[in-house]
Amino acid sequence: MENKLSKNTFEIFNNIIERHKILIPLVVLFIIVSLATPSFLDRSNMINILRQISVLSIVSIGSTIIILTGGIDLSVGSIMALVAVFVAKGVKTGTPLPFLVLTGIIMGILIGMINGLFIINFTVPAFIVTLATMTIGRGFVLLWTGGSNVNELNNEAFLFFGRGSVLGIPFPIIVMLLMYILGCLILSKTKFGREIYAIGNNEEASKISGIFVKRTLLSVYIIAGLAAAVGAVIDTSRMNTVTPMYGSGIEFDCISAVILGGASFDGGIGMLINTLFGAILLGLINNAFNLMGVSSYWAQIAKGIILISAIMIYSYKTNNE
């Protein structure tokens, strides 16, 4: 009986590791940093890490489902910047907050829809379409701001989105967790989630099987625009300022979180919860270098090395299966 129990426990543990390989480097790094910097384990620091990665994690939801279909989105940074500038300028002019936030989110949805419509109707690769959107969006941001920062929003109600707490839990973390719970349920329990995986595995076969591929892909890019807009609202509130280059480069951090989580660029392979673990890993790296007083530039190098290592390991496994 005891041997059977031990065997079942081992199988459960082995299954968890097989499904969530990202936990291995995450736990190893957690232990190393804990030993190297005792202050790392402080509750305030743990909350700080989750708060810092909340926006990246939220935006990465959209990147995950797009990569699951075999696509890619390089425009999330520009979508965030457009929404952030719109919201920040609206706050400064006293525009009613509910209208402002709702309109900003709709803006993100519409840009995501534009990406999706071009991709599904003109058979242009997602890389090209979203690269163009990224460039155009950044140009509009620079024109809109005149190359200057939008500062001192001074609206307590708006600042709650990024700095407020509910029962001691920062609001950005609550939003992040709720969106991941919802996203995981959609991907694992709904027809729409199954269609996303099916398209990523074989788009042509999905069409033959009766899946409305174009409709599903359009929905995926709309969700990505929504996630980027929600992230922008929270981050603008937290930072209380918007720079002309706001959001620049976050698309690559999102892709890093998704790939570190074990998703395949070919589509059809990946789990949303693993993206969250990937974002936490990136957050741990930044936090560890900060606590140790090491330049953030080295953190960038470390993240790049970890990412290329993950890709090499995945490629090796794929070629040997």
Side-chain angles (χ1 to χ4, degrees):
M1 183 70 178
E2 186 176 342
N3 289 336
K4 185 177 181 180
L5 183 61
S6 298
K7 183 179 179 181
N8 289 339
T9 302
F10 175 78
E11 287 178 353
I12 293 172
F13 178 77
N14 189 57
N15 185 50
I16 292 174
I17 294 301
E18 184 63 29
R19 290 165 61 86
H20 310 288
K21 295 183 181 69
I22 182 64
L23 288 175
I24 297 175
L26 185 57
V27 171
V28 170
L29 180 62
F30 188 91
I31 293 172
I32 291 173
V33 179
S34 300
L35 295 174
T37 55
S39 61
F40 171 76
L41 291 175
D42 290 348
R43 180 182 180 276
S44 60
N45 188 56
M46 294 291 102
I47 293 294
N48 184 48
I49 292 173
L50 291 176
R51 192 202 301 268
Q52 288 178 345
I53 62 101
S54 60
V55 171
L56 170 62
S57 300
I58 290 169
V59 180
S60 294
I61 292 173
S63 299
T64 301
I65 59 174
I66 286 176
I67 288 176
L68 285 175
T69 64
I72 195 168
D73 188 358
L74 299 178
S75 67
V76 291
S78 290
I79 294 175
M80 289 181 69
L82 286 166
V83 173
V85 172
F86 170 78
V87 170
K89 284 184 173 290
V91 169
K92 285 185 73 86
T93 57
T95 304
L97 198 56
F99 170 80
L100 195 60
V101 172
L102 180 61
T103 305
I105 291 174
I106 291 174
M107 179 186 296
I109 290 173
L110 290 176
I111 299 173
M113 183 184 294
I114 291 170
N115 280 337
L117 288 173
F118 270 99
I119 290 167
I120 65 176
N121 290 316
F122 296 97
T123 62
V124 181
F127 178 89
I128 301 299
V129 172
T130 57
L131 178 63
T133 308
M134 176 182 75
T135 306
I136 294 169
R138 185 60 59 185
F140 274 118
V141 169
L142 291 170
L143 286 171
W144 202 354
T145 61
S148 302
N149 297 346
V150 184
N151 295 318
E152 300 176 2
L153 307 184
N154 299 325
N155 184 312
E156 289 299 321
F158 177 67
L159 293 179
F160 174 82
F161 292 123
R163 302 183 180 187
S165 298
V166 178
L167 300 176
I169 304 174
F171 186 71
I173 297 176
I174 294 174
V175 174
M176 175 187 74
L177 293 177
L178 289 176
M179 290 185 68
Y180 267 84
I181 291 171
L182 179 61
C184 288
L185 288 174
I186 290 173
L187 284 177
S188 62
K189 303 295 184 181
T190 68
K191 179 184 176 183
F192 177 63
R194 292 190 292 273
E195 288 176 347
I196 288 174
Y197 280 100
I199 292 170
N201 281 309
N202 192 318
E203 186 172 325
E204 291 304 316
S206 297
K207 291 177 182 177
I208 295 172
S209 67
I211 293 175
F212 294 101
V213 172
K214 287 187 175 182
R215 184 179 66 188
T216 302
L217 289 177
L218 179 60
S219 300
V220 162
Y221 282 92
I222 287 174
I223 292 172
L226 168 66
V230 171
V233 171
I234 291 174
D235 202 36
T236 303
S237 170
R238 184 176 71 89
M239 300 297 291
N240 199 29
T241 186
V242 178
T243 69
M245 296 308 295
Y246 169 81
S248 180
I250 194 173
E251 54 274 350
F252 300 110
D253 282 339
C254 290
I255 293 170
S256 296
V258 177
I259 299 305
L260 285 172
S264 167
F265 267 128
D266 297 327
I269 298 174
M271 297 178 67
L272 186 58
I273 188 63
N274 286 342
T275 295
L276 178 58
F277 293 147
I280 293 173
L281 179 62
L282 295 175
L284 284 183
I285 293 171
N286 286 332
N287 186 256
F289 277 76
N290 182 52
L291 290 177
M292 292 186 291
V294 180
S295 170
S296 60
Y297 301 141
W298 284 106
Q300 287 294 110
I301 294 172
K303 287 188 287 187
I305 292 172
I306 291 174
L307 178 60
I308 194 66
S309 299
I311 293 173
M312 289 172 65
I313 291 171
Y314 170 78
S315 299
Y316 176 80
K317 287 186 64 178
T318 302
N319 293 332
N320 286 274
E321 287 180 349

